[in-house]
Amino acid sequence: MEALQRLSSAWRNLFWLVRGSGLRSQLNTLDRRVSRAAHGAGEEGPSNASGAVLARLQAIEQQLTHLAHALGSERREQQVREWRRIGDLRGLEFKVRSQNGEDGILQEIFRRIGTRNRFFVEFGVETGVECNAAHLVHEHGWSGLFLEPCEAQFLRLQENYRAYPRARCQRTAVTSENIESILAANEVPAELDLLSIDVDGNDYWIWVAIANWRPRVVVIEYNAAYPPPRKWVLKEDPDYRWNGTNYHGASLASLHALGAKKGYALVGTDSRGVNAFFVRDDCIEPGAFLDSMLHYHYSPFGYPPHPPFEGPYVEV
């Protein structure tokens, strides 16, 4: 009976989607029957009432699920149309080889600012099957450097890009202390077109440490658990490995402030609330992007939230 009550309560929370329908009165009636059945006072007797209530709840569950999907899709389409109308990068997302819609956003950014050398550096790429530079390498002939610390993932990365010699693969754990020596050793152009940072931990500190290279575009993961104006950065720990919680990286507000110090404008985020996109100030023509309004560009995390975890952090 507790299971029936929990199911009834859970679906009642979705009624904001169906206020104009008759489902509300149906579930109110079922709630009363659940309550009577729980106390053994149902007119059909406890066992019969339980079976009847469960059957009706399951039917309503299917109706609500279909309705929620339909309404969600319609609202999403309306939002995308509005994003496209005003030039928001989220409205131009598409996925070919990226994790989310980063392929479309990057294509649009480079359509607006052009490219100089079509050279990238990306680290934390795992096998390179889903990452920000994969589409650029496979379909657009870019050159660059993939960095991955895990041996098993690196071996698969190497195999996946064996046919693309212009995309070099190196097994390296990137830190704030070694990033510039890695770039120098690999003869990375000082003004590469794209830098993509994704280490699920010390991302902020690595970008801080890059002083002698000025990528035209920087893509960096942000921690959507801390919405603007909250400044939050994981305290630097070179030995930290992501533990699957929301203890990682930096808030969008902190990355926005860092970007401004380094001469970069926040031009957008992906709609899943994973990546922030920065373009170097001198690469931006007036009116090329929406104004860098921090609160506007923030996207909440679009996946089930990571479990909370408390650890050392700084507010910068």
Side-chain angles (χ1 to χ4, degrees):
M1 189 55 63
E2 289 183 8
L4 292 173
Q5 290 173 314
R6 287 197 300 271
L7 183 57
S8 172
S9 176
W11 286 111
R12 188 171 56 242
N13 290 335
L14 290 179
F15 266 0
W16 63 275
L17 290 172
V18 290
R19 282 184 292 231
S21 74
L23 290 175
R24 186 182 190 91
S25 61
Q26 290 184 50
L27 195 55
N28 284 337
T29 299
L30 290 171
D31 280 341
R32 291 193 293 271
R33 293 179 66 185
V34 168
S35 180
R36 289 199 302 270
H39 292 85
E43 60 186 24
E44 297 174 313
S47 59
N48 290 338
S50 297
V53 169
L54 181 58
R56 294 296 297 139
L57 282 173
Q58 289 173 336
I60 290 177
E61 176 181 2
Q62 291 180 350
Q63 294 178 58
L64 283 171
T65 298
H66 292 317
L67 182 58
H69 286 167
L71 290 175
S73 296
E74 181 180 350
R75 288 174 179 170
R76 171 70 177 178
E77 289 174 4
Q78 291 175 346
Q79 180 68 79
V80 170
R81 285 195 294 270
E82 177 62 14
W83 282 337
R84 287 176 178 166
R85 185 186 70 80
I86 63 176
D88 189 312
L89 294 173
R90 285 171 290 196
L92 298 160
E93 291 179 329
F94 64 75
K95 170 180 175 174
V96 179
R97 300 179 187 274
S98 56
Q99 182 182 15
N100 303 292
E102 297 92 342
D103 288 333
I105 291 177
L106 285 171
Q107 177 172 295
E108 179 62 18
I109 288 174
F110 287 113
R111 185 192 71 79
R112 297 184 190 185
I113 71 170
T115 57
R116 177 160 298 174
N117 47 43
R118 300 201 303 170
F119 195 98
F120 73 90
V121 171
E122 182 170 9
F123 39 92
V125 297
E126 297 182 343
T127 65
V129 172
E130 282 189 346
C131 61
N132 292 333
H135 180 49
L136 300 175
V137 173
H138 284 266
E139 280 77 35
H140 296 281
W142 279 46
S143 303
L145 178 65
F146 286 122
L147 302 169
E148 170 57 43
C150 172
E151 181 178 8
Q153 303 276 35
F154 171 73
L155 292 175
R156 293 177 62 189
L157 171 69
Q158 222 176 13
E159 184 61 32
N160 288 336
Y161 286 88
R162 191 175 302 278
Y164 300 89
R166 291 197 296 181
R168 287 171 283 156
C169 303
Q170 183 173 322
R171 186 187 171 200
T172 305
V174 178
T175 68
S176 63
E177 293 184 353
N178 68 11
I179 179 59
E180 289 218 324
S181 62
I182 291 171
L183 298 177
N186 285 278
E187 300 181 340
V188 172
E191 294 192 38
L192 65 157
D193 273 317
L194 174 65
L195 171 67
S196 181
I197 303 173
D198 175 11
V199 297
D200 295 326
N202 296 293
D203 308 60
Y204 177 96
W205 304 109
I206 292 172
W207 193 16
V208 168
I210 299 174
N212 295 306
W213 279 260
R214 297 277 292 161
R216 300 175 74 240
V217 175
V218 175
V219 184
I220 184 169
E221 282 201 358
Y222 69 95
N223 190 332
Y226 301 97
R230 178 73 187 277
K231 289 189 174 181
W232 185 99
V233 181
L234 175 146
K235 186 176 181 180
E236 186 170 19
D237 177 2
D239 297 322
Y240 177 75
R241 299 294 179 270
W242 185 48
N243 58 11
T245 71
N246 68 358
Y247 183 64
H248 65 87
S251 69
L252 189 61
S254 290
L255 290 172
H256 177 266
L258 174 60
K261 290 178 182 177
K262 295 176 77 70
Y264 288 80
L266 173 66
V267 298
T269 63
D270 66 67
S271 63
R272 292 281 192 172
V274 178
N275 288 287
F277 298 81
F278 292 84
V279 175
R280 208 175 68 206
D281 290 339
D282 63 309
C283 299
I284 301 176
E285 295 292 334
F289 297 94
L290 295 179
D291 187 20
S292 182
M293 296 182 296
L294 174 62
H295 290 73
Y296 172 75
H297 283 306
Y298 171 79
S299 296
F301 198 55
Y303 294 100
H306 298 307
F309 182 86
E310 295 294 332
Y313 70 92
V314 293
E315 295 184 1
V316 292

